[in-house]
């Protein structure tokens, strides 16, 4: 099941969709993500409960970002590369799990230890899910959207619930918090993420959003 899922992740997130180009004028396929991805840098900020630092933090190469902590929020302007970075992580982890070749993921993400299963999701989609399922949890949404909505067929219904219960076996990549249209919805989504983040068996959680 893990191998089938990793193959689906590679196929789904392994290409960069080109927008604004006519297929008739430019009949070129979407480029492969590994071929065109360029690593960026991020500015590290202290959490609000930490003391303000006397000197400004040095920029962090995003190849080392996962080493900065297990619970990270990535903020940036539109088009700054947040979504592409999350998909880059998902692809590299899935490629290593599917092929057994860990060279790229070790070099480009500087990870050590067992590799987690990547789960990439949109929090805006979670908000729409909650509007129809008021009691739906983030774990319910993960199983629903990946197995039923996105068509990852052949997986056991409790596949993701089982993975989330295993120690450090999952890397959650949560995108598009800013695309939730109302403040109440953003609060509910944030609260759901924080509840899941308190589960220390989940190895890594990254949340991406525009600055506002």
């Amino acid at each position: 099941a893990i191998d089938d899922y990793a193959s689906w992740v590679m196929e789904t997130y392994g290409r960069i969709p080109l927008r604004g180009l006519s297929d008739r004028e430019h009949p070129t396929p979407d480029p492969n993500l590994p071929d065109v991805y360029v690593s960026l840098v991020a500015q590290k900020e202290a959490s609000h409960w930490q003391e303000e630092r006397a000197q400004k933090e040095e920029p962090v190469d995003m190849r080392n970002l996962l080493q900065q902590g297990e619970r990270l929020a990535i903020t940036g302007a539109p088009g700054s590369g947040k979504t592409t970075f999350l998909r880059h992580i998902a692809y590299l982890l899935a490629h290593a799990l599917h092929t057994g070749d860990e060279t790229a993921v070790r070099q480009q993400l500087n990870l050590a230890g067992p590799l987690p299963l990547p789960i990439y999701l949109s929090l805006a989609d979670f908000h729409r899910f909650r509007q129809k399922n008021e009691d739906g949890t983030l774990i319910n949404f993960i199983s629903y959207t990946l197995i039923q909505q996105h068509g990852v067929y052949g997986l056991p219904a409790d596949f993701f619930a089982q993975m989330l219960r295993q120690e450090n076996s999952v890397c959650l990549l949560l995108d598009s918090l800013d695309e939730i249209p109302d403040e109440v919805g953003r609060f509910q989504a944030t609260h759901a993420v924080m509840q899941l983040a308190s589960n220390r068996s989940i190895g890594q959680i990254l949340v991406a959003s525009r600055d506002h």
Side-chain angles (χ1 to χ4, degrees):
I2 291 175
D3 186 64
D4 290 343
Y5 172 70
S7 177
W8 177 86
V9 171
M10 290 172 57
E11 181 180 349
T12 304
Y13 302 121
R15 290 185 176 274
I16 296 289
L18 298 179
R19 299 176 181 175
L21 295 178
S22 169
D23 289 337
R24 288 177 295 181
E25 296 176 4
H26 304 276
T28 56
D30 292 335
N32 292 323
L33 175 59
D35 295 337
V36 299
Y37 182 80
V38 177
S39 184
L40 305 175
V41 294
Q43 185 65 49
K44 184 178 177 182
E45 295 183 5
S47 302
H48 64 83
W49 62 80
Q50 294 175 315
E51 296 181 3
E52 293 187 6
R53 301 175 188 259
Q55 296 181 347
K56 191 175 182 180
E57 293 275 5
E58 291 294 324
V60 177
D61 189 315
M62 292 181 82
R63 286 174 294 191
N64 301 318
L65 198 63
L66 296 185
Q67 299 177 1
Q68 304 300 312
E70 294 181 342
R71 305 291 184 261
L72 299 172
I74 303 171
T75 62
S80 59
K82 303 179 298 297
T83 294
T84 302
F85 177 61
L86 296 188
R87 292 182 175 218
H88 175 63
I89 295 173
Y91 176 84
L92 288 175
L93 288 171
H95 181 270
L97 292 171
H98 181 66
T99 65
D101 184 359
E102 301 181 0
T103 304
V105 73
R106 300 295 185 189
Q107 290 179 347
Q108 297 186 44
L109 296 181
N110 288 323
L111 288 178
L115 296 178
L117 187 78
I119 299 178
Y120 172 89
L121 293 168
S122 164
L123 289 174
D125 289 343
F126 173 59
H127 172 68
R128 288 185 280 270
F129 173 77
R130 279 291 305 272
Q131 289 180 314
K132 298 178 181 179
N133 306 270
E134 293 184 3
D135 297 329
T137 66
L138 199 47
I139 293 180
N140 295 149
F141 170 68
I142 291 171
S143 296
Y144 165 78
T145 192
L146 291 176
I147 294 178
Q148 297 184 39
Q149 191 176 48
H150 286 343
V152 188
Y153 298 112
L155 296 182
D158 62 344
F159 173 76
F160 293 103
Q162 288 191 45
M163 294 300 299
L164 288 164
R165 285 196 293 266
Q166 296 180 26
E167 190 74 20
N168 295 325
S169 62
V170 166
C171 176
L172 278 181
L173 307 164
L174 305 176
D175 202 5
S176 306
L177 175 63
D178 55 275
E179 293 181 12
I180 299 175
D182 60 272
E183 186 175 351
V184 172
R186 288 192 294 273
F187 173 81
Q188 291 174 340
T190 302
H191 181 66
V193 173
M194 293 178 69
Q195 283 187 313
L196 202 58
S198 66
N199 182 349
R200 303 313 300 179
S201 66
I202 299 176
Q204 193 95 38
I205 298 179
L206 283 78
V207 179
S209 176
R210 295 184 183 181
D211 298 86
H212 70 267

